[in-house]
Amino acid sequence: DGLEIKPLMPNVWFRVGTIGMQLREWDTALRAFSEVVQQEPEEGDAWANVAAIHMHNKNPAEAYPALLESLKQNRNNWRVWATKLYACIDLKKYDEAIQACNQLLDMKARRNAAEGIPPLEERCIR
């Protein structure tokens, strides 16, 4: 209700989106994160969440542009690269899937494997 009165509160919208995702209220979460990216287009985490919701809804075509926007801000976020890999495979954008795979390999080489980057075989063989 408060967001209807003061709709220009991206930090509150982000929280609403996060709670929506936790509650599996995907439409609410998508609306909230969409509000965030309209108000703050450079908010890479919100773009990543928009993409994640679209991928959850099995809509890689909608996720793809959100992933590109997220990667403008989140170049070092392996989760966004992994999601881009999935989306590109689903969309038959194999050249970009290979690029995402290479980026994940580079990130894995630079970081300790314990930092959570999963084995790429799990990502590439789906």
Side-chain angles (χ1 to χ4, degrees), residues 57-68:
N57 291 335
K58 305 211 182 313
N59 193 349
E62 292 292 324
Y64 180 77
L67 288 165
L68 296 181

Side-chain angles (χ1 to χ4, degrees), residues 19-61:
I19 292 166
M21 287 180 80
Q22 291 172 343
L23 296 174
R24 304 181 74 75
E25 295 284 338
W26 304 111
D27 291 339
T28 299
L30 182 59
R31 178 175 175 250
F33 288 121
S34 295
E35 286 288 335
V36 174
V37 299
Q38 286 176 14
Q39 294 175 34
E40 293 187 3
E42 71 286 347
E43 178 52 67
D45 291 334
W47 282 112
N49 289 332
V50 168
I53 293 165
H54 284 304
M55 290 300 287
H56 172 81
N57 291 335
K58 305 211 182 313
N59 193 349

Side-chain angles (χ1 to χ4, degrees), residues 1 11 16 24 32 44-45 53 63 73 81 88 100 105 110 116 118:
D1 293 330
N11 58 337
V16 169
R24 304 181 74 75
D45 291 334
I53 293 165
Q73 307 299 324
W81 282 106
C88 288
L105 285 169
R110 287 193 310 261

